[in-house]
Amino acid sequence: QPVLTQPPSASGTPGQTVSVSCSGGSSNIGSNTVNWYQQRPGAAPKLLIYSNDQRPSGVPDRFSGSKSGTSASLAISGLQSEDEADYYCAAWDDTLNGPHVIFGGGTKLTVL
Amino acid sequence: EVQLVESGGGLIQPGRSLRLSCAASGFTFDDYAMHWVRQRPGKGLEWVSLISWNSAYIDYADSVKGRFTIWKDSAKNSLYLQMSSLRPDDTALYYCVKGCTLGGSGGSCYSNWGQGTLVTVS
């Protein structure tokens, strides 16, 4: 079962920069783009970063994404209290068996 | 404004069937792939199924293959998920999501999400 591995938690103080990693393999991140979602408590997920490093309209430039090899990373600079949320990475997986879209397990970001 | 409104969830006994619906508006429904993504209580996101813009490509997660069926009705701008042989581990909030890419057949980029409909199998 292909998986994307994220740290379960991350934290930072207001104004800091925090990063969330997403590790995969050659059949997913290594050969497809990565997308990131933010899910605030009680809300539906929201697209945060697409195609590895692109921000949809309306997403602050404090959020940035990158990809290298079979890993991706989400960085949040100038951390704000409203950034406290769960963050998920996602990628298409080319493995013949198993799910064709996979999500990371999610990272719960706490703003101290 | 894109809107996705799910309905059809509820409490259902194991082994029974349930049909979820998603009413879409604010975009050309036939131009985008549509997906179902679920979230078990207190857990992460899990992709369930997709249908391409032209219904030519349909796929399911292994966990639901053979039990769930996805389809869409372009005349009604609606997406559906027929769930059969339901199991307790199908209990989840089911989201209807819109693909990012015009004419897309799959992918993991979802530009819009509904608020979800809760399915409880017990």
Side-chain angles (χ1 to χ4, degrees), chain A residues 35 37 39 44 91-92 98 100-101, chain B residues 39 59 62 95 107-110 114:
Chain A
N35 305 290
Y37 299 90
Q39 186 177 32
W92 183 264
H100 288 266
V101 177
Chain B
Q39 187 169 32
D59 204 4
D62 274 358
Y95 292 104
S108 65
C109 178
Y110 308 132

Side-chain angles (χ1 to χ4, degrees), chain B residues 52 63 77 90 94 114 121:
Chain B
S52 65
S63 56
N77 276 6
D90 293 317
Y94 284 75
V121 184

Side-chain angles (χ1 to χ4, degrees), chain A residues 1 33-35 37 39 42-47 50-51 86 88 90-92 97-105, chain B residues 35 37 39 43-47 50 57 59-62 65 95 100 105-111 113-116:
Chain A
Q1 182 89 355
T33 59
V34 177
N35 305 290
Y37 299 90
Q39 186 177 32
K46 166 192 163 184
L47 181 64
Y50 69 96
S51 296
D86 293 325
Y88 296 91
W92 183 264
N97 298 315
H100 288 266
V101 177
I102 52 175
F103 286 94
Chain B
H35 302 241
V37 174
Q39 187 169 32
K43 302 298 183 182
L45 302 173
E46 179 189 13
W47 173 77
L50 78 88
Y57 179 61
D59 204 4
Y60 303 94
D62 274 358
K65 197 172 291 184
Y95 292 104
C100 292
S105 296
S108 65
C109 178
Y110 308 132
S111 57
W113 298 63
Q115 286 304 304

